[in-house]
Amino acid sequence: MAIDYGTKRTGLAVTDPQRIIATALDTVPTGKVIDYLKKYMEKEEVEFFVVGDPRNMDNTPSSVSPHVEEFIRRINKNFPLIPVKRIDERFTSKMAMSSMLIDGSKKSDRRDKSLIDKRSAVIILQSFMEMHKSL
């Protein structure tokens, strides 16, 4: 499962058991993500979490990084047996917007931040899977 953490909303994506394709799952208000994950994992197995690591262009942590660190601590506390992996998430929002343009999404959809957050999570997961095909 990929997580595109945001201070307001968090995008989620999952993959099939064969790890072939990443699919958007949902966008959840950030304060409710842990509860959402608990309910989701009552029905579905999650092997590991892939969390987007927000970086500046010079590869230093971004202003959101401390929030992501705290969020990862909460994940580790609530799901201690599930590993957390990180991946650079620079440009994922821009890539998500570009993919919406290519898909022919309506302008109103492109303004919907929750759709962008879900697509960003998909990009994070797909990128991770491509980098770690042997996992």
Side-chain angles (χ1 to χ4, degrees):
M1 173 180 282
I3 301 173
D4 180 33
Y5 178 88
T7 56
K8 294 180 184 178
R9 292 170 311 281
T10 297
L12 304 171
V14 293
T15 187
D16 57 294
Q18 294 78 27
R19 296 187 190 146
I20 296 170
I21 190 157
T23 307
L25 177 63
D26 209 345
T27 301
V28 181
T30 296
K32 297 181 179 185
V33 172
I34 299 295
D35 289 337
Y36 181 97
L37 294 175
K38 286 178 182 177
K39 287 180 184 174
Y40 179 82
M41 292 191 310
E42 288 174 2
K43 301 176 212 148
E44 301 291 337
E45 182 180 339
V46 174
E47 190 174 340
F48 52 84
F49 296 108
V50 179
V51 178
D53 189 14
R55 312 294 288 174
N56 292 318
M57 291 303 295
D58 63 358
N59 205 30
T60 59
S62 79
S63 61
V64 179
S65 293
H67 300 284
V68 173
E69 292 294 332
E70 177 57 32
F71 178 70
I72 290 173
R73 281 192 283 282
R74 288 178 47 221
I75 288 176
N76 288 329
K77 179 181 175 187
N78 285 278
F79 311 104
L81 301 177
I82 301 175
V84 176
K85 302 172 186 283
R86 297 176 186 220
I87 187 169
D88 186 342
E89 71 165 21
R90 280 178 284 188
F91 308 115
T92 56
S93 293
K94 288 181 183 177
M95 291 167 66
M97 182 63 80
S98 293
S99 74
M100 292 177 82
L101 285 167
I102 291 168
D103 290 349
S105 296
K106 295 183 287 186
K107 193 173 189 177
S108 60
D109 288 343
R110 294 191 310 264
R111 288 185 183 149
D112 185 344
K113 300 269 190 208
S114 67
L115 294 176
I116 295 169
D117 293 337
K118 280 193 281 194
R119 289 228 185 178
S120 293
V122 168
I123 292 166
I124 288 168
L125 186 54
Q126 196 70 46
S127 297
F128 182 85
M129 291 187 317
E130 288 171 12
M131 289 171 46
H132 299 88
K133 289 184 189 238
S134 64
L135 286 179

